[in-house]
Every structure is written in C-alpha cells, then in structure tokens.
Amino acid sequence: MTATALPPKSSTTDVRVRVRAKRLVLYTVLVSVTGLFLGPFGWLVLSGLKTQGELAASPVHWLPDAFQWHNFADAFHQIDFLGYARNSLVIALIYATLVTLSSAWVGFGFARLDAPGKKWLFGVLLGSMMLPQMVTLLPTYLIFAKVGMVDTYWPWVLWGLSAAPYLVFLFRQFFAGMPRELEEAAIVDGCGYTSIFWRIFLPQSWPVLSASFIIAFTWTWGDYIAPQLLLSTDRTTLAVAVMTTYVSEAGTPVPELQAAASVMYVVPILLIFLIAQRGFVAGMSTSGLK
Amino acid sequence: MTVDQISSSAEGRPAPAATSTGRRAPAADRPRISMTARRHRAFYMFTSPWIIGFLLLTITPMVYALWLSFTTFDGISPNWRYVGLGNYRELLNDPVTWDALGRAGLFAVTSVPLSIIAGLGLAVLVNRPIKARGLFRTLLYVPAVVPPVGAGLAFKLLFDQNSGAANGALTFFGIDAVGWLADPYARYVLLMTVLWGAGNVMIISLAGLQDVPRELHEAARIDGASAWRTFRSITVPLLSPVLLFQTVTGMIASVQTIMPLLLAPLGDTSGITTVPQSNYLYMMHVFAQYFALGRYGYASALLWVLFVLILVVTGLIFKFTSGAVFYNVDPEAKK
C-alpha cells in the first residue's frame, strides 16, 4: 500500500525533512517542559545566593550581583541546624527501620499464610490506605498529649511498629511471587515460620527492603505536620525548623537564609533518590498498579 | 518458636524423627489439622502488629474524635459538656464551612484531573524513543521527591509579588505584576504546586505503558489508526486501573494538603490566619478551629464530616467507573 501511495522520487527527502522537523518539535517540548519542572528548584537555589536587598527588589533581580555563598554558612549557624538535622535523621531512621521490618513481617503473613478472615483483613488493609491521615492525626495528637508522649519520639516508634499498609502491600506482592518450594523445604527441615521469614524470605528481599526503607525515610524527612504538632521547638525536625525559625526580630521570615536552609534540607533527599532511583521507582510503581 | 519447630518436624517427618527429638509422642494421628491450625496461628502472629496498630492508632483516635465531636471540649476549660449533635448543627449552618468545602471540592476536581493529564502526557512523551530518556525521566520526577516544605518555599519565592520570577516574566512581556500569593490568584499557585509533582503520575503510568502489549499497537497501526486514536482506544483503557487508583489517591491527598499553610506568609500552624481566602480549603478550616481557636470538639465534627464525605465520594467513583475500567485479568494475554 505504501509503495503505491508514495510518489517515487522527491518523497525521500520530503519524509526526511518531516521526520527531522518532528524530532525538533519533540526535543523542544521535552527540553522546555524539563526546564519548567526544574525552574522552581533552581529559583530556590538562586534565591539562597542573593542578598536580602536583591530578594526584595522590584522589578525582579534575576541574578545576584555576587553569589552570596555565606548565606549557606549563616543559615547553618543562625539556628542549631545540625541539631535539627540530627532530630530529623533520628526520627527518620527509627521510623524507616521499624516500619520496614514490621511491614515485611505483616506482608509475609498476608502473602504466605492463611486463616479465616484473611480476605476481609486484607480488604481492611487496602481500604485503610485510603483513610485520610489528617483525620486521625489531630485526635491522635490529643491522645498522645494525654498519655505524655508529646515531645518524645515514641509516636514514631509506635507508628513504625504498627506497619504501613502501603509498604505491607509492597512486601506482600514481592513475597507472593517467591516459589513455594522455598518454604516447603524449610518446613520439612523443621523450621518454624518465624525462622522461615528471617532466614529464607528476608535475606532474599533486599530490593524491596531498601525500596521500603528509602520510601519511609523520605516520608518522615519530608513530613511537616506531625513534628510540628508533636514536638517542641528544640526537639523538632529540620522541616519545621526551616519553615519557622528563620525569622527577623520583626517576626517576618528572612527569605535568603530560609532559601539556603531549605536547599540544604532538600538536597540529601534528592541525593538519596538519585542514588537509589531504581528501587525507589520500582517500589512506587508496584504499589500504584495494584 | 520451639513449639513450632517441634510440631513441624513431627508433621514433616516420619515418626522416628519425631521421637528422636525426644519430647513428643509420635504425631501420626494428628498431622493435617495441627498443620492448618499452625498456619492460622502464624497468620495472626504475623499480621498482629498491623491489626493492633490499626486498632490503637487509627480506630481509637477516630472513635475518640467521634466522641469529642459531640462535646465542647477545648483542651483547657474543665467544664466542657456533651452537646449531642450541636457541633454538627453548627457546622451545617456555618457558611464558612460550606465555602471551605466548596473550595476543597473545586480544588480536587481541578487539581486531580489536571495532574493526571499532565502526568500521562509526560509519560507518553518520555516513553518515546528519545536520547537520554533516563535522564529526562529522572529530571521530570525530581520535583515529586522535593518535600512539601521545600516546594512551598520555592513557590513562595517564585511567585513573590516583587522579586519573583513569575512577575519578572510578566513585566518582561509588558503585563502588570500580579499579587500571586494573595486573593484571587493564590489558588493558581496552589494548583501549580500540585502540577509540579506530576512526575509521580508519570512514573506510575510509565510502568503501565510498558505493560501495554506491543502487538496491540502494531495491529492498530496496520489498521491505519492515528496516534491519537491509538492513545484513546488502546493506551487509556489499558491504563484505566492505574488512572482510577491515581484519581482516588489524588483526591484524598488533595483534601489533606497542607500546602495552603506552607504558602501562607507564616508557615507555622499559628500562621493559619494568614492563609488567603481563596486557599482557605476545608482542611485549613479544620486547622483554624483546632489551632487558632482550640475548638477540638467542633474541629472533630468537621473531621468526621470530611471522613464520611471521602468515603461516599470514593464509593461513587468506584461505582461509576466499574464499567469503564478495564482489568487485564488474563495474564497470558500480556505476553
């Protein structure tokens, strides 16, 4: 059909021009969209390198006259940046470690074991993914306040121990795909399910374990509202400190320090993502697909 | 665990092995049942962290909030009392609640479809045979990894009335600068923060796109279908479970977003009063009652109304899409 439809000679150059034009449009769109997506973060970095005067100037001062690298040092020293970063790190490590292990544990149960009510429970688990967390967080805060767990890291320990539905689902999918012979052989050898889990399933699930750990770590590092609610100003996380502590005596935010600080707050997460990209993306898309 | 080991060796091996462990009589007459019973017990042992956690950290707070919603509890005053449906009556008669709900609804029905369309568009774009495909995918996804605090600050600086790049670009084209972070424009900035994270939908759709059988595309091309037609009649139906999932989770996320607070002049929860009117979504209304006024009882009623609404809307979405969503139930068909 194509052979007869196309006129014989000039067509090849014609087609080539059209293909080239098409490709040009494609790459133009691609590059400009990517630029647009990187713009806000680029602007944040740029703002961290300006003087306060340049950040207040109207019309806009596109580029700083001189890069104010000292903003980063100032942002670092004006508050106990390291202290807040340590708080963030401790909370994120506690939560990510515990929730990864507990979710793997629960995921194993849903993938490999059976009991009356399992289907129903799994339905509840999936449904609970759709529960708006904000609805539970505010009353949870009141309860934690009552039992004296406000301004401690216990809430993250408890949240960590009780597994996250999303990660349980991730582990369930992974464990369900592992060959049955694995555990049958172990049972014949006299292994209980606990040791089957620890000795056979867990060592084989490094990809999911690390994906889950990274996902949980970035959640906690990025979370703003829970630490803001539950922790006092000096025990709180970097997310809250960046947002609330760079204020002038007049009570208004100091934009250049805030920008510099938030770059320092965001970059570790970006680095983790870039290094562990593959597992992270795989984890995200498995759970999205169901 | 030792008990587990003993009984499992009793079932798995013939009697001599069991006696060799020395602690149990031959178990030949009670094998199958204890095996299943053991699996059942193990199931509950494995799932108990989640079950207990769910009861303690999800159900308990929700029930507590339900109880509070019938009271005037404010955390300070000792003489709070039971008011029955009083809080619910009050919120139904409060125009601020209705406005906030309306804004949250509008935000959901604009931000969710737009970010799905954007994410799907990006997915189709980077699914083409292009150079540095991995690099483009990574760069487009990066904003979705930036924590809300970073995103909020970036957009605040970008849309600053005086020194923001957005107004810089407008004035460059001879258009008057706009107070982006105030009424009525603040809602567009909020919308853009959502679209900025469209990489999320992109990644998930991309995984779905790669599952679309190649033969289907080839068959469509042979039949002379246009690219748009192929997209509409093959790609979208096959992606529909993913899109449905994105719609539901996106809607729930949009209702819970704290971005209006982060975009306000003061990001602190005390800054709730500085959130411009057009970004005063339902959640901000809850925050205001909760933090600024300490009306825990009333705020709990607001939360329960929200919870029930989300349940209803999710149910409706599932109901009305049940015919339109295509599940590829035959895994062999993929190959």
Side-chain angles (χ1 to χ4, degrees):
Chain A
M1 175 203 148
T2 36
T4 49
L6 289 175
K9 218 30 197 286
S10 67
S11 67
T12 42
T13 47
D14 208 38
V15 165
R16 205 175 295 161
V17 166
R18 210 179 307 150
V19 165
R20 202 172 285 172
K22 237 180 167 177
R23 201 185 297 159
L24 189 69
V25 172
L26 178 68
Y27 280 99
T28 314
V29 171
L30 207 55
V31 169
S32 36
V33 168
T34 310
L36 217 52
F37 266 66
L38 293 181
F41 189 69
W43 192 252
L44 189 66
V45 177
L46 214 51
S47 301
L49 292 169
K50 291 181 186 175
T51 65
Q52 192 156 32
E54 285 167 337
L55 271 181
S58 173
V60 58
H61 215 94
W62 289 100
L63 289 173
D65 292 332
F67 289 118
Q68 309 291 322
W69 292 106
H70 64 86
N71 281 346
F72 285 84
D74 293 351
F76 197 83
H77 293 302
Q78 182 171 320
I79 64 169
D80 183 13
F81 192 92
L82 267 188
Y84 289 119
R86 198 191 51 227
N87 294 349
S88 278
L89 190 68
V90 168
I91 291 182
L93 284 178
I94 290 177
Y95 179 73
T97 310
L98 291 178
V99 85
T100 296
L101 287 176
S102 63
S103 302
W105 179 261
V106 176
F108 178 84
F110 277 116
R112 294 314 209 145
L113 294 163
D114 254 314
K118 174 182 168 176
K119 260 204 158 149
W120 183 80
L121 274 176
F122 194 61
V124 174
L125 180 97
L126 292 183
S128 72
M129 269 199 243
M130 293 176 184
L131 271 180
Q133 269 160 1
M134 280 306 210
V135 174
T136 50
L137 184 64
L138 297 183
T140 302
Y141 161 73
L142 293 179
I143 293 174
F144 282 164
K146 244 182 190 167
V147 296
M149 285 202 295
V150 162
D151 210 21
T152 70
Y153 295 161
W154 281 109
W156 283 270
V157 174
L158 294 182
W159 282 324
L161 285 175
S162 57
Y166 184 85
L167 301 176
V168 171
F169 183 72
L170 203 66
F171 278 105
R172 190 204 86 114
Q173 295 303 83
F174 183 77
F175 289 145
M178 284 167 82
R180 200 148 264 288
E181 293 82 49
L182 266 181
E183 83 196 60
E184 273 164 9
I187 288 173
V188 169
D189 287 349
C191 262
Y193 283 110
T194 314
S195 41
I196 293 180
F197 172 74
W198 285 108
R199 297 213 209 118
I200 301 175
F201 278 74
L202 220 49
Q204 301 215 23
S205 35
W206 280 109
V208 211
L209 283 172
S210 51
S212 158
F213 184 86
I214 290 163
I215 291 171
F217 188 93
T218 48
W219 277 349
T220 327
W221 186 274
D223 189 13
Y224 171 76
I225 200 74
Q228 154 97 51
L229 270 180
L230 292 166
L231 299 173
S232 66
T233 25
D234 47 320
R235 302 206 67 185
T236 201
T237 61
L238 199 52
V240 179
V242 164
M243 204 64 200
T244 56
T245 53
Y246 292 99
V247 249
S248 68
E249 274 145 43
T252 49
V254 186
E256 74 281 11
L257 294 189
Q258 216 176 13
S262 59
V263 170
M264 292 190 283
Y265 158 68
V266 169
V267 160
I269 286 299
L270 294 187
L271 287 180
I272 292 177
F273 163 68
L274 291 177
I275 293 165
Q277 215 190 130
R278 190 162 296 190
F280 190 84
V281 166
M284 297 303 272
S285 35
T286 315
S287 43
L289 276 170
K290 289 212 133 178
Chain B
M1 188 189 129
T2 45
V3 174
D4 276 0
Q5 278 177 337
I6 292 163
S7 64
S8 69
S9 63
E11 286 139 21
R13 287 176 190 168
T19 37
S20 76
T21 62
R23 277 194 263 164
R24 257 205 194 176
D29 49 350
R30 43 194 282 289
R32 277 292 111 189
I33 296 156
S34 74
M35 180 73 179
T36 13
R38 204 163 67 83
R39 277 174 71 86
H40 291 177
R41 221 163 353 110
F43 173 79
Y44 283 106
M45 180 182 81
F46 273 92
T47 49
S48 59
W50 170 70
I51 297 174
I52 296 170
F54 184 65
L55 290 175
L56 281 182
L57 298 172
T58 304
I59 298 297
T60 311
M62 292 205 66
V63 172
Y64 184 57
L66 185 63
W67 154 243
L68 285 184
S69 74
F70 300 125
T71 71
T72 61
F73 183 65
D74 62 0
I76 308 162
S77 160
N79 36 2
W80 53 280
R81 61 204 162 75
Y82 178 79
V83 289
L85 291 173
N87 285 323
Y88 291 92
R89 217 169 292 130
E90 181 184 343
L91 74 84
L92 287 181
N93 289 319
D94 186 358
V96 179
T97 304
W98 286 102
D99 289 346
L101 186 62
R103 268 179 234 116
L106 187 66
F107 176 60
V109 299
T110 47
S111 68
V112 176
L114 283 178
S115 61
I116 288 180
I117 292 169
L120 200 54
L122 291 179
V124 171
L125 199 61
V126 295
N127 199 34
R128 300 182 133 233
I130 45 171
K131 279 190 193 115
R133 187 146 60 148
L135 180 70
F136 279 114
R137 284 179 187 177
T138 306
L139 293 181
L140 289 170
Y141 185 65
V142 157
V145 192
V146 173
V149 165
L153 281 173
F155 274 77
K156 249 160 96 172
L157 290 162
L158 196 59
F159 288 96
D160 188 276
Q161 176 150 20
N162 297 321
S163 59
N167 273 346
L170 284 189
T171 39
F172 179 81
F173 290 110
I175 306 167
D176 284 339
V178 158
W180 284 106
L181 296 168
D183 292 320
Y185 299 100
R187 66 178 71 144
Y188 302 113
V189 178
L190 182 61
L191 202 57
M192 282 186 263
T193 62
V194 179
L195 289 178
W196 197 46
N200 227 331
V201 181
M202 173 191 82
I203 287 294
I204 291 165
S205 313
L206 210 49
L209 277 181
Q210 283 153 3
D211 280 350
V212 174
R214 187 174 285 273
E215 301 87 81
L216 276 181
H217 278 300
E218 273 158 19
R221 214 186 37 217
I222 290 164
D223 286 351
S226 68
W228 169 245
R229 184 68 210 255
T230 317
F231 177 73
R232 220 193 53 193
S233 307
I234 295 178
T235 313
V236 170
L238 284 172
L239 276 180
S240 54
V242 182
L243 298 180
L244 173 66
F245 182 77
Q246 289 300 315
T247 308
V248 173
T249 52
M251 180 197 75
I252 293 165
S254 87
V255 171
Q256 302 190 70
T257 181
I258 58 160
M259 200 47 101
L261 185 63
L262 298 177
L263 287 172
L266 290 172
D268 204 320
T269 38
S270 64
I272 187 70
T273 48
T274 61
V275 172
Q277 188 75 14
S278 59
N279 274 356
Y280 193 78
L281 308 185
Y282 193 86
M283 212 56 199
M284 295 301 112
H285 186 44
V286 176
F287 277 19
Q289 299 298 318
Y290 210 89
F291 298 114
L293 304 171
R295 300 185 65 196
Y296 298 150
Y298 187 63
S300 301
L302 285 172
L303 284 175
W304 260 92
V305 167
L306 180 68
F307 172 60
V308 172
L309 277 175
I310 289 179
L311 275 189
V312 170
V313 172
T314 314
L316 286 178
I317 292 177
F318 278 120
K319 194 172 171 221
F320 284 111
T321 52
S322 61
V325 171
F326 172 79
Y327 291 100
N328 193 356
V329 283
D330 181 10
E332 289 306 302
K334 277 185 181 176
K335 297 282 145 61

